[in-house]
Amino acid sequence: MIRRPSKNILGIETSCDETAAAVVRNGKTVLSNIVASSLQEHAQHGGIIPEIASRRQLEFITAVVEKALLKAGMNLTGIDAVAVTSEPGLIGSLLVGISFARALSFALHKPLISIDHIKAHAYANFLEYPESRRKEIPELPAVALVVSGGHTNLYAIKSFDRFRLLGRTLDDAAGEAFDKVAKILGLGYPGGPIIDRLAKEGENTALRFKSASLPETHDFSFSGVKTAVLYHHRNRKQQDHFPAAQTAYAFQQSVVSILTRKSIAACQKMKTGTLLIGGGVAANSALRAQLGDEAKKHNITVHFPPMSLCTDNAAMIAGLGFHLMGKKGARRA
Ligand code: KG4
Ligand code: ZN
């Protein structure tokens, strides 16, 4: 058997509030995964302030890349290519990562690979498999649901350079809806993890909200359920029927059930038995439980990344970068 030489890809991610760098070998083995975040500074404003995010990224990026190399036990000469998030994201933040990656690639004479952040969230499912679990690595073709703070996308994936967008949200993203509902309920930012925790105390409620089903499409809409929560909460203040935990539970149920239903339907339509979930909302415990149960009933294998790879990180960027190196779809950043 001919053994191909290993390829070490340095990934850089600065699309939102994180400054992240990682080294991944052959698209599989995470040698290092460093994430610095300015989230605490934004939390007091109830949302991301782009100016603060990009300033911090400028301050952090050199140290974060150095730390990623150190942790991986190599210096820059050990890197075979640089992969960087080129879209979507906050423009000032993206620019920090792209400029840094471009300069590195130029100085090292190594390829630069531009990566779509949303597709990389789906790729997070292919990382972190020790030798004993190699059989569990997902198979393509697959359907992927990426649920983050800015996007809710359903893809059909044939290969790592062939993602077809099946559907998306027409208004708020799933994570955005969690954040806005948390704000309505006065719970803090980011709302997803807080609602996830609080909802567990509100399970015994008859309260229900409906998410738009947009039949015959793979699209989503979450602005209706968010508004329903707003009106309900205003009335609640007067009547005090349902505590916030029950509202959080009913809202979460509504979002989780539509995400589950539409993901299973997309798998059936594409005739695939593999479903990949990615993005910050993939950390949601109710989504993990409900999708797990429903997928089993439909003979579908559902994959969730480890918690540390659900939210923004550079390992997913480096991992997808390995597969796009030298491919037609890989544009220079
Ligand atoms: O993927 P991500 O880290 O950043 C973006 O690319 O947007 O996703 C962040 C989003 C936030 O809206 C956050 O509230 C949500 O993911 N999130 C969750 C949970 N953890 C994070 N939503 C629901 N349940 C969670 N446990
Ligand atoms: Zn993300």
Side-chain angles (χ1 to χ4, degrees):
M1 194 175 78
I2 302 167
R3 276 191 129 227
R4 284 207 224 124
S6 300
K7 295 274 185 224
N8 297 320
I9 313 295
L10 171 68
I12 294 180
E13 151 67 40
T14 62
S15 65
C16 192
D17 59 299
E18 287 87 0
T19 312
V23 181
V24 175
R25 181 164 290 164
N26 295 340
K28 284 193 274 228
T29 313
V30 181
L31 300 182
S32 64
N33 185 20
I34 308 295
V35 183
S37 168
S38 55
L39 190 64
Q40 284 309 319
E41 280 181 80
H42 304 282
Q44 54 187 306
H45 302 285
I48 303 294
I49 309 293
E51 181 68 22
I52 296 180
S54 56
R55 275 169 192 259
R56 292 294 168 262
Q57 279 154 340
L58 258 181
E59 285 167 26
F60 294 161
I61 185 114
T62 307
V64 166
V65 170
E66 276 173 1
K67 200 162 173 193
L69 290 166
L70 192 71
K71 185 92 192 289
M74 62 181 66
N75 57 30
L76 280 171
T77 54
I79 296 299
D80 295 286
V82 183
V84 64
T85 301
S86 59
E87 60 173 342
L90 303 169
I91 189 69
S93 291
L94 285 170
L95 258 177
V96 175
I98 293 170
S99 313
F100 196 91
R102 209 181 248 175
L104 265 185
S105 134
F106 183 75
L108 298 171
H109 302 285
K110 295 286 154 80
L112 179 65
I113 309 152
S114 62
I115 299 293
D116 180 316
H117 176 94
I118 311 298
K119 293 175 183 170
H121 268 305
Y123 187 81
N125 284 287
F126 293 84
L127 295 168
E128 299 274 43
Y129 284 93
E131 208 51 59
S132 58
R133 292 184 49 220
R134 280 282 144 102
K135 280 198 189 123
E136 296 169 41
I137 297 177
E139 284 175 6
L140 295 182
V143 159
L145 170 73
V146 180
V147 267
S148 72
H151 293 81
T152 304
N153 287 2
L154 259 175
Y155 293 104
I157 309 177
K158 273 205 165 155
S159 58
F160 293 120
D161 57 344
R162 288 174 74 192
F163 279 62
R164 183 156 71 87
L165 186 65
L166 300 173
R168 69 201 156 85
T169 181
L170 302 181
D171 39 59
D172 291 344
E176 188 180 0
F178 270 93
D179 294 337
K180 286 180 177 171
V181 163
K183 197 168 188 176
I184 292 168
L185 300 178
L187 298 174
Y189 178 87
I194 306 173
I195 289 187
D196 194 348
R197 271 195 308 275
L198 186 65
K200 293 193 172 77
E201 296 163 28
E203 286 174 359
N204 57 345
T205 179
L207 180 64
R208 295 284 179 269
F209 297 112
K210 259 190 101 176
S211 282
S213 61
L214 306 178
E216 311 300 320
T217 77
H218 296 296
D219 291 331
F220 301 90
S221 167
F222 296 111
S223 69
V225 64
K226 174 196 66 189
T227 310
V229 171
L230 175 68
Y231 287 140
H232 169 78
H233 184 64
R234 278 188 191 156
N235 292 338
R236 186 180 77 84
K237 275 191 185 148
Q238 288 150 19
Q239 301 161 10
D240 211 20
H241 272 150
F242 293 101
Q246 299 188 343
T247 311
Y249 173 79
F251 160 75
Q252 179 173 271
Q253 263 315 101
S254 167
V255 173
V256 163
S257 66
I258 201 79
L259 291 174
T260 301
R261 195 143 39 93
K262 292 234 162 191
S263 305
I264 302 283
C267 286
Q268 289 172 328
K269 179 85 190 294
M270 301 313 296
K271 298 190 173 48
T272 175
T274 308
L275 176 59
L276 313 173
I277 315 294
V281 184
N284 185 269
S285 58
L287 182 67
R288 284 176 175 248
Q290 200 161 315
L291 254 176
D293 288 349
E294 283 303 307
K296 208 179 269 170
K297 280 187 209 156
H298 293 87
N299 232 352
I300 291 166
T301 310
V302 61
H303 299 263
F304 287 90
M307 287 295 191
S308 62
L309 296 175
C310 285
T311 43
D312 289 348
N313 65 87
M316 64 185 192
I317 306 298
L320 183 55
F322 170 78
H323 296 278
L324 298 188
M325 203 158 61
K327 288 271 163 69
K328 221 170 65 192
R331 283 162 291 128
R332 291 185 70 84

